[in-house]
Each structure stands twice: as C-alpha cells, then as structure tokens.
Short mmCIF file of all heavy atoms in Angstrom, two decimals:
data_model
loop_
_atom_site.label_atom_id
_atom_site.label_comp_id
_atom_site.label_asym_id
_atom_site.label_seq_id
_atom_site.Cartn_x
_atom_site.Cartn_y
_atom_site.Cartn_z
N MET A 235 187.62 -7.76 181.55
CA MET A 235 186.49 -7.99 182.44
C MET A 235 186.35 -6.78 183.37
O MET A 235 187.33 -6.33 183.95
CB MET A 235 186.75 -9.25 183.28
CG MET A 235 185.59 -9.66 184.14
SD MET A 235 184.43 -10.74 183.32
CE MET A 235 185.36 -12.27 183.32
N ARG A 236 185.14 -6.26 183.47
CA ARG A 236 184.88 -5.10 184.32
C ARG A 236 183.80 -5.46 185.34
O ARG A 236 182.86 -6.18 185.02
CB ARG A 236 184.38 -3.91 183.49
CG ARG A 236 185.26 -3.56 182.29
CD ARG A 236 186.60 -3.01 182.74
NE ARG A 236 187.45 -2.72 181.59
CZ ARG A 236 187.53 -1.53 181.01
NH1 ARG A 236 186.80 -0.53 181.47
NH2 ARG A 236 188.31 -1.34 179.98
N ASP A 237 183.98 -4.92 186.55
CA ASP A 237 183.01 -5.13 187.61
C ASP A 237 182.36 -3.79 187.94
O ASP A 237 182.98 -2.92 188.55
CB ASP A 237 183.71 -5.71 188.85
CG ASP A 237 182.72 -6.08 189.95
OD1 ASP A 237 181.57 -5.60 189.92
OD2 ASP A 237 183.11 -6.84 190.85
N ILE A 238 181.09 -3.62 187.51
CA ILE A 238 180.43 -2.32 187.70
C ILE A 238 180.13 -2.02 189.17
O ILE A 238 179.83 -0.89 189.52
CB ILE A 238 179.13 -2.20 186.88
CG1 ILE A 238 178.10 -3.25 187.31
CG2 ILE A 238 179.43 -2.30 185.40
CD1 ILE A 238 176.72 -3.01 186.73
N MET A 239 180.21 -3.06 190.02
CA MET A 239 180.00 -2.84 191.45
C MET A 239 181.25 -2.25 192.10
O MET A 239 181.18 -1.72 193.21
CB MET A 239 179.65 -4.16 192.15
CG MET A 239 178.38 -4.81 191.62
SD MET A 239 176.92 -3.78 191.87
CE MET A 239 176.65 -4.05 193.62
N LYS A 240 182.37 -2.35 191.41
CA LYS A 240 183.63 -1.87 191.98
C LYS A 240 184.18 -0.65 191.28
O LYS A 240 185.11 -0.01 191.79
CB LYS A 240 184.70 -2.99 191.95
CG LYS A 240 184.36 -4.17 192.85
CD LYS A 240 185.43 -5.23 192.78
CE LYS A 240 185.10 -6.40 193.71
NZ LYS A 240 186.00 -7.54 193.52
N ASN A 241 183.66 -0.36 190.10
CA ASN A 241 184.20 0.76 189.32
C ASN A 241 183.06 1.64 188.82
O ASN A 241 182.30 1.24 187.93
CB ASN A 241 185.02 0.22 188.14
CG ASN A 241 185.76 1.32 187.42
OD1 ASN A 241 185.17 2.36 187.09
ND2 ASN A 241 187.04 1.12 187.19
N GLU A 242 182.94 2.83 189.40
CA GLU A 242 181.83 3.71 189.06
C GLU A 242 181.88 4.16 187.60
O GLU A 242 180.83 4.31 186.95
CB GLU A 242 181.83 4.93 189.98
CG GLU A 242 180.57 5.77 189.83
CD GLU A 242 180.50 6.90 190.83
OE1 GLU A 242 181.37 6.98 191.71
OE2 GLU A 242 179.58 7.73 190.72
N ALA A 243 183.07 4.36 187.07
CA ALA A 243 183.19 4.78 185.68
C ALA A 243 182.65 3.70 184.74
O ALA A 243 181.98 4.01 183.74
CB ALA A 243 184.65 5.09 185.34
N ASP A 244 182.92 2.45 185.06
CA ASP A 244 182.40 1.36 184.25
C ASP A 244 180.88 1.28 184.37
O ASP A 244 180.18 1.00 183.39
CB ASP A 244 183.03 0.03 184.66
CG ASP A 244 184.48 -0.07 184.24
OD1 ASP A 244 184.85 0.54 183.22
OD2 ASP A 244 185.25 -0.77 184.93
N TYR A 245 180.37 1.51 185.57
CA TYR A 245 178.91 1.52 185.78
C TYR A 245 178.26 2.61 184.92
O TYR A 245 177.27 2.36 184.22
CB TYR A 245 178.60 1.74 187.25
CG TYR A 245 177.14 1.86 187.56
CD1 TYR A 245 176.32 0.73 187.60
CD2 TYR A 245 176.56 3.11 187.78
CE1 TYR A 245 174.96 0.85 187.87
CE2 TYR A 245 175.21 3.23 188.05
CZ TYR A 245 174.41 2.10 188.09
OH TYR A 245 173.07 2.22 188.34
N LYS A 246 178.84 3.81 184.95
CA LYS A 246 178.28 4.92 184.17
C LYS A 246 178.36 4.65 182.68
O LYS A 246 177.43 4.95 181.93
CB LYS A 246 179.03 6.21 184.51
CG LYS A 246 178.68 6.76 185.87
CD LYS A 246 179.44 8.05 186.16
CE LYS A 246 179.03 8.63 187.50
NZ LYS A 246 179.81 9.83 187.85
N ARG A 247 179.47 4.06 182.25
CA ARG A 247 179.62 3.75 180.83
C ARG A 247 178.57 2.74 180.38
O ARG A 247 177.96 2.88 179.30
CB ARG A 247 181.02 3.19 180.56
CG ARG A 247 181.23 2.79 179.11
CD ARG A 247 182.66 2.35 178.84
NE ARG A 247 182.81 1.88 177.46
CZ ARG A 247 183.19 0.65 177.12
NH1 ARG A 247 183.49 -0.23 178.06
NH2 ARG A 247 183.28 0.30 175.86
N LEU A 248 178.35 1.72 181.21
CA LEU A 248 177.35 0.72 180.88
C LEU A 248 175.97 1.36 180.73
O LEU A 248 175.25 1.09 179.76
CB LEU A 248 177.31 -0.37 181.96
CG LEU A 248 176.33 -1.52 181.72
CD1 LEU A 248 176.67 -2.28 180.44
CD2 LEU A 248 176.32 -2.46 182.91
N LEU A 249 175.63 2.24 181.65
CA LEU A 249 174.34 2.93 181.59
C LEU A 249 174.24 3.84 180.37
O LEU A 249 173.23 3.86 179.67
CB LEU A 249 174.14 3.77 182.85
CG LEU A 249 173.34 3.17 184.00
CD1 LEU A 249 173.18 4.20 185.10
CD2 LEU A 249 171.99 2.68 183.52
N GLU A 250 175.28 4.60 180.13
CA GLU A 250 175.27 5.57 179.03
C GLU A 250 175.21 4.88 177.67
O GLU A 250 174.46 5.29 176.78
CB GLU A 250 176.51 6.46 179.10
CG GLU A 250 176.45 7.47 180.24
CD GLU A 250 177.77 8.20 180.46
OE1 GLU A 250 178.71 8.01 179.65
OE2 GLU A 250 177.87 8.93 181.45
N VAL A 251 176.02 3.86 177.50
CA VAL A 251 176.12 3.20 176.20
C VAL A 251 174.97 2.21 175.98
O VAL A 251 174.37 2.15 174.91
CB VAL A 251 177.47 2.48 176.02
CG1 VAL A 251 177.53 1.76 174.70
CG2 VAL A 251 178.61 3.47 176.15
N GLY A 252 174.67 1.44 177.03
CA GLY A 252 173.68 0.39 176.88
C GLY A 252 172.27 0.80 177.26
O GLY A 252 171.31 0.17 176.86
N GLY A 253 172.17 1.82 178.10
CA GLY A 253 170.85 2.29 178.50
C GLY A 253 170.28 1.58 179.71
O GLY A 253 169.21 1.94 180.18
N MET A 254 171.00 0.56 180.21
CA MET A 254 170.57 -0.12 181.43
C MET A 254 171.78 -0.75 182.10
O MET A 254 172.83 -0.93 181.46
CB MET A 254 169.49 -1.15 181.14
CG MET A 254 169.84 -2.19 180.11
SD MET A 254 168.42 -3.26 179.79
CE MET A 254 169.09 -4.32 178.51
N ASP A 255 171.60 -1.07 183.40
CA ASP A 255 172.75 -1.58 184.15
C ASP A 255 172.70 -3.09 184.35
O ASP A 255 173.28 -3.63 185.28
CB ASP A 255 172.89 -0.86 185.49
CG ASP A 255 171.66 -1.05 186.38
OD1 ASP A 255 170.71 -1.74 185.94
OD2 ASP A 255 171.67 -0.54 187.51
N GLN A 256 171.98 -3.76 183.47
CA GLN A 256 171.90 -5.23 183.56
C GLN A 256 173.25 -5.85 183.23
O GLN A 256 173.95 -5.40 182.33
CB GLN A 256 170.84 -5.74 182.59
CG GLN A 256 170.68 -7.25 182.58
CD GLN A 256 169.58 -7.68 181.64
OE1 GLN A 256 168.40 -7.37 181.86
NE2 GLN A 256 169.94 -8.37 180.58
N VAL A 257 173.58 -6.90 183.98
CA VAL A 257 174.77 -7.69 183.69
C VAL A 257 174.37 -9.16 183.56
O VAL A 257 173.35 -9.55 184.13
CB VAL A 257 175.83 -7.52 184.81
CG1 VAL A 257 176.38 -6.12 184.82
CG2 VAL A 257 175.26 -7.89 186.18
N PRO A 258 175.10 -9.96 182.86
CA PRO A 258 176.32 -9.57 182.17
C PRO A 258 176.04 -8.76 180.90
O PRO A 258 174.94 -8.80 180.36
CB PRO A 258 176.95 -10.93 181.80
CG PRO A 258 175.76 -11.82 181.59
CD PRO A 258 174.76 -11.39 182.63
N CYS A 259 177.07 -8.05 180.49
CA CYS A 259 177.02 -7.32 179.23
C CYS A 259 178.38 -7.47 178.54
O CYS A 259 179.42 -7.25 179.17
CB CYS A 259 176.73 -5.85 179.48
SG CYS A 259 176.70 -4.87 177.97
N LEU A 260 178.34 -7.86 177.30
CA LEU A 260 179.57 -7.98 176.51
C LEU A 260 179.60 -6.85 175.49
O LEU A 260 178.65 -6.68 174.71
CB LEU A 260 179.60 -9.33 175.78
CG LEU A 260 180.78 -9.56 174.84
CD1 LEU A 260 182.09 -9.64 175.62
CD2 LEU A 260 180.57 -10.83 174.02
N PHE A 261 180.68 -6.06 175.51
CA PHE A 261 180.85 -5.02 174.51
C PHE A 261 181.59 -5.59 173.31
O PHE A 261 182.68 -6.13 173.45
CB PHE A 261 181.63 -3.83 175.08
CG PHE A 261 180.78 -2.90 175.89
CD1 PHE A 261 180.43 -3.21 177.19
CD2 PHE A 261 180.30 -1.72 175.35
CE1 PHE A 261 179.63 -2.36 177.95
CE2 PHE A 261 179.49 -0.87 176.09
CZ PHE A 261 179.16 -1.18 177.39
N ILE A 262 180.97 -5.47 172.14
CA ILE A 262 181.59 -5.95 170.90
C ILE A 262 181.73 -4.75 169.98
O ILE A 262 180.72 -4.19 169.53
CB ILE A 262 180.72 -7.03 170.23
CG1 ILE A 262 180.43 -8.17 171.22
CG2 ILE A 262 181.40 -7.55 168.96
CD1 ILE A 262 179.31 -9.09 170.76
N ASP A 263 182.96 -4.36 169.73
CA ASP A 263 183.23 -3.17 168.92
C ASP A 263 182.43 -1.97 169.44
O ASP A 263 181.87 -1.19 168.66
CB ASP A 263 182.92 -3.43 167.45
CG ASP A 263 183.82 -4.49 166.84
OD1 ASP A 263 184.98 -4.62 167.31
OD2 ASP A 263 183.38 -5.19 165.92
N GLY A 264 182.37 -1.86 170.77
CA GLY A 264 181.72 -0.72 171.39
C GLY A 264 180.21 -0.84 171.56
O GLY A 264 179.58 0.03 172.15
N LYS A 265 179.64 -1.94 171.04
CA LYS A 265 178.19 -2.11 171.15
C LYS A 265 177.87 -3.16 172.21
O LYS A 265 178.50 -4.21 172.26
CB LYS A 265 177.60 -2.54 169.80
CG LYS A 265 177.76 -1.48 168.73
CD LYS A 265 177.19 -1.96 167.40
CE LYS A 265 177.44 -0.93 166.31
NZ LYS A 265 177.09 -1.46 164.97
N PRO A 266 176.88 -2.88 173.06
CA PRO A 266 176.57 -3.79 174.15
C PRO A 266 175.68 -4.96 173.73
O PRO A 266 174.72 -4.79 172.97
CB PRO A 266 175.85 -2.89 175.14
CG PRO A 266 175.16 -1.88 174.29
CD PRO A 266 176.07 -1.65 173.10
N MET A 267 176.02 -6.14 174.24
CA MET A 267 175.15 -7.31 174.10
C MET A 267 174.83 -7.76 175.52
O MET A 267 175.72 -8.08 176.29
CB MET A 267 175.87 -8.43 173.34
CG MET A 267 175.08 -9.72 173.27
SD MET A 267 176.01 -11.06 172.48
CE MET A 267 175.88 -10.57 170.76
N TYR A 268 173.54 -7.80 175.89
CA TYR A 268 173.16 -8.02 177.28
C TYR A 268 172.80 -9.46 177.65
O TYR A 268 173.13 -9.91 178.74
CB TYR A 268 171.97 -7.13 177.64
CG TYR A 268 172.35 -5.73 178.03
CD1 TYR A 268 172.21 -4.68 177.13
CD2 TYR A 268 172.84 -5.45 179.28
CE1 TYR A 268 172.54 -3.38 177.48
CE2 TYR A 268 173.18 -4.15 179.65
CZ TYR A 268 173.02 -3.13 178.74
OH TYR A 268 173.36 -1.85 179.10
N GLU A 269 172.10 -10.14 176.82
CA GLU A 269 171.57 -11.44 177.25
C GLU A 269 172.65 -12.51 177.33
O GLU A 269 173.40 -12.73 176.38
CB GLU A 269 170.45 -11.89 176.31
CG GLU A 269 169.18 -11.09 176.47
CD GLU A 269 168.60 -11.23 177.89
OE1 GLU A 269 168.60 -12.34 178.44
OE2 GLU A 269 168.16 -10.20 178.44
N SER A 270 172.70 -13.21 178.48
CA SER A 270 173.78 -14.17 178.71
C SER A 270 173.80 -15.28 177.66
O SER A 270 174.87 -15.72 177.24
CB SER A 270 173.69 -14.76 180.12
OG SER A 270 172.40 -15.25 180.37
N LEU A 271 172.62 -15.74 177.23
CA LEU A 271 172.61 -16.80 176.22
C LEU A 271 173.16 -16.28 174.89
O LEU A 271 173.85 -17.02 174.17
CB LEU A 271 171.19 -17.36 176.04
CG LEU A 271 170.64 -18.15 177.24
CD1 LEU A 271 169.23 -18.65 176.94
CD2 LEU A 271 171.55 -19.32 177.58
N ASP A 272 172.86 -15.03 174.56
CA ASP A 272 173.43 -14.42 173.35
C ASP A 272 174.94 -14.27 173.48
O ASP A 272 175.70 -14.48 172.52
CB ASP A 272 172.80 -13.05 173.08
CG ASP A 272 171.33 -13.15 172.71
OD1 ASP A 272 170.90 -14.24 172.27
OD2 ASP A 272 170.62 -12.15 172.87
N ILE A 273 175.39 -13.89 174.68
CA ILE A 273 176.82 -13.71 174.93
C ILE A 273 177.55 -15.04 174.80
O ILE A 273 178.59 -15.15 174.14
CB ILE A 273 177.05 -13.09 176.32
CG1 ILE A 273 176.53 -11.65 176.35
CG2 ILE A 273 178.53 -13.16 176.71
CD1 ILE A 273 176.51 -11.02 177.73
N ILE A 274 176.99 -16.09 175.42
CA ILE A 274 177.61 -17.42 175.33
C ILE A 274 177.68 -17.87 173.88
O ILE A 274 178.71 -18.38 173.42
CB ILE A 274 176.81 -18.44 176.18
CG1 ILE A 274 176.98 -18.12 177.66
CG2 ILE A 274 177.25 -19.87 175.88
CD1 ILE A 274 176.00 -18.86 178.56
N ASP A 275 176.60 -17.67 173.13
CA ASP A 275 176.56 -18.07 171.73
C ASP A 275 177.64 -17.33 170.93
O ASP A 275 178.36 -17.94 170.13
CB ASP A 275 175.17 -17.76 171.16
CG ASP A 275 175.01 -18.23 169.74
OD1 ASP A 275 175.23 -19.43 169.50
OD2 ASP A 275 174.68 -17.41 168.85
N TRP A 276 177.76 -16.02 171.19
CA TRP A 276 178.75 -15.22 170.47
C TRP A 276 180.18 -15.69 170.82
O TRP A 276 181.03 -15.84 169.93
CB TRP A 276 178.59 -13.74 170.80
CG TRP A 276 179.42 -12.85 169.92
CD1 TRP A 276 179.04 -12.28 168.75
CD2 TRP A 276 180.79 -12.46 170.14
NE1 TRP A 276 180.08 -11.55 168.22
CE2 TRP A 276 181.16 -11.65 169.05
CE3 TRP A 276 181.72 -12.72 171.14
CZ2 TRP A 276 182.44 -11.09 168.93
CZ3 TRP A 276 182.99 -12.18 171.02
CH2 TRP A 276 183.33 -11.37 169.93
N LEU A 277 180.43 -15.94 172.10
CA LEU A 277 181.77 -16.37 172.53
C LEU A 277 182.13 -17.72 171.92
O LEU A 277 183.28 -17.95 171.53
CB LEU A 277 181.84 -16.44 174.06
CG LEU A 277 181.76 -15.09 174.79
CD1 LEU A 277 181.68 -15.32 176.29
CD2 LEU A 277 182.96 -14.21 174.45
N GLU A 278 181.15 -18.62 171.84
CA GLU A 278 181.42 -19.94 171.25
C GLU A 278 181.74 -19.82 169.77
O GLU A 278 182.52 -20.61 169.23
CB GLU A 278 180.21 -20.87 171.46
CG GLU A 278 180.09 -21.33 172.91
CD GLU A 278 178.87 -22.21 173.16
OE1 GLU A 278 177.96 -22.26 172.29
OE2 GLU A 278 178.81 -22.83 174.23
N LYS A 279 181.16 -18.81 169.12
CA LYS A 279 181.40 -18.64 167.68
C LYS A 279 182.65 -17.81 167.38
O LYS A 279 183.08 -17.74 166.23
CB LYS A 279 180.18 -17.99 167.02
CG LYS A 279 178.98 -18.92 166.96
CD LYS A 279 177.75 -18.23 166.40
CE LYS A 279 176.59 -19.22 166.30
NZ LYS A 279 175.29 -18.56 166.11
N HIS A 280 183.19 -17.16 168.43
CA HIS A 280 184.36 -16.30 168.23
C HIS A 280 185.44 -16.62 169.27
O HIS A 280 185.88 -15.70 170.00
CB HIS A 280 183.97 -14.82 168.33
CG HIS A 280 182.95 -14.41 167.32
ND1 HIS A 280 181.60 -14.60 167.50
CD2 HIS A 280 183.09 -13.82 166.11
CE1 HIS A 280 180.95 -14.15 166.44
NE2 HIS A 280 181.82 -13.66 165.59
N PRO A 281 185.89 -17.88 169.36
CA PRO A 281 186.88 -18.24 170.38
C PRO A 281 188.19 -17.48 170.21
O PRO A 281 188.90 -17.26 171.19
CB PRO A 281 187.07 -19.75 170.17
CG PRO A 281 186.66 -20.00 168.77
CD PRO A 281 185.55 -19.02 168.50
N GLN A 282 188.48 -17.06 169.02
CA GLN A 282 189.72 -16.34 168.77
C GLN A 282 189.70 -14.93 169.36
O GLN A 282 190.75 -14.30 169.51
CB GLN A 282 190.01 -16.25 167.26
CG GLN A 282 189.11 -15.31 166.49
CD GLN A 282 187.73 -15.90 166.13
OE1 GLN A 282 187.38 -16.98 166.56
NE2 GLN A 282 186.96 -15.14 165.35
N ASP A 283 188.53 -14.44 169.73
CA ASP A 283 188.40 -13.08 170.26
C ASP A 283 188.37 -13.03 171.78
O ASP A 283 188.26 -11.96 172.36
CB ASP A 283 187.13 -12.41 169.72
CG ASP A 283 187.19 -12.24 168.21
OD1 ASP A 283 188.29 -11.91 167.71
OD2 ASP A 283 186.17 -12.42 167.55
N ILE A 284 188.46 -14.21 172.41
CA ILE A 284 188.40 -14.26 173.87
C ILE A 284 189.79 -13.99 174.44
O ILE A 284 190.76 -14.58 173.97
CB ILE A 284 187.87 -15.62 174.38
CG1 ILE A 284 186.46 -15.84 173.84
CG2 ILE A 284 187.88 -15.66 175.90
CD1 ILE A 284 185.90 -17.21 174.17
N1 GSH B 280 168.02 -12.40 180.98
C1 GSH B 280 169.25 -11.84 181.49
C2 GSH B 280 169.08 -11.60 182.99
C3 GSH B 280 170.33 -10.96 183.59
C4 GSH B 280 170.07 -10.51 185.03
O1 GSH B 280 169.01 -10.79 185.63
N2 GSH B 280 171.04 -9.79 185.59
C5 GSH B 280 170.91 -9.23 186.92
C6 GSH B 280 172.10 -9.61 187.78
S1 GSH B 280 172.31 -11.34 187.89
C7 GSH B 280 170.91 -7.73 186.82
O2 GSH B 280 171.72 -7.15 186.12
N3 GSH B 280 169.96 -7.07 187.50
C8 GSH B 280 169.94 -5.62 187.54
C9 GSH B 280 169.23 -5.01 186.36
O3 GSH B 280 168.58 -5.75 185.59
O4 GSH B 280 169.33 -3.79 186.20
C10 GSH B 280 170.41 -12.77 181.19
O5 GSH B 280 170.20 -14.00 181.18
O6 GSH B 280 171.51 -12.30 180.95
#
C-alpha cells in the first residue's frame, strides 16, 4: 500500500506510469488500474494475490 500524499516518489511514479494522479490505483504486473469498482472486482477474483 502506498500513500502518494506522503511519498513524492510514489506520486511521481503514479503520474509517470498511469498518466494521472487519481486514487485509488492498483498496480497489476506494473500496469495501473484506476477505477475503484474495477479494483474491487479484480481483488474479489484474485483473493490469493492480496
Ligand atoms: N471514479 C473513480 C473516482 C476516484 C476519485 O475521485 N479519486 C479522487 C480522490 S477520492 C482523486 O484521486 N482525485 C484527484 C484526481 O482525480 O486527480 C473511482 O471510483 O475510483
């Protein structure tokens, strides 16, 4: 878990990789997923990865 309000490097990474600073964002194999409903759906389908 990263907090972009507390860690500038994480903030920059989110912007660079994802193109925007919207949260929440889940990185899956280095790729950003932004929408919370998509994130919840993915987490429910991959409980072993939490
Ligand atoms: N539709 C998005 C909305 C997320 C959202 O509004 N995030 C706010 C914080 S709660 C945000 O990151 N605002 C700054 C921005 O969009 O750059 C979701 O449900 O995940």
Side-chain angles (χ1 to χ4, degrees):
M235 186 89 74
R236 308 292 178 94
D237 185 342
I238 62 168
M239 300 298 283
K240 294 180 179 171
N241 188 311
E242 190 174 354
D244 288 331
Y245 176 77
K246 287 180 177 176
R247 177 175 176 241
L248 182 61
L249 264 184
E250 287 170 7
V251 177
M254 55 184 178
D255 61 359
Q256 179 178 295
V257 292
C259 178
L260 176 67
F261 279 79
I262 306 165
D263 295 331
K265 295 179 184 171
M267 175 185 284
Y268 277 102
E269 287 299 318
S270 52
L271 292 180
D272 293 339
I273 292 171
I274 291 167
D275 184 55
W276 190 91
L277 292 173
E278 287 178 346
K279 290 176 178 165
H280 300 84
Q282 72 280 6
D283 296 321
I284 300 174

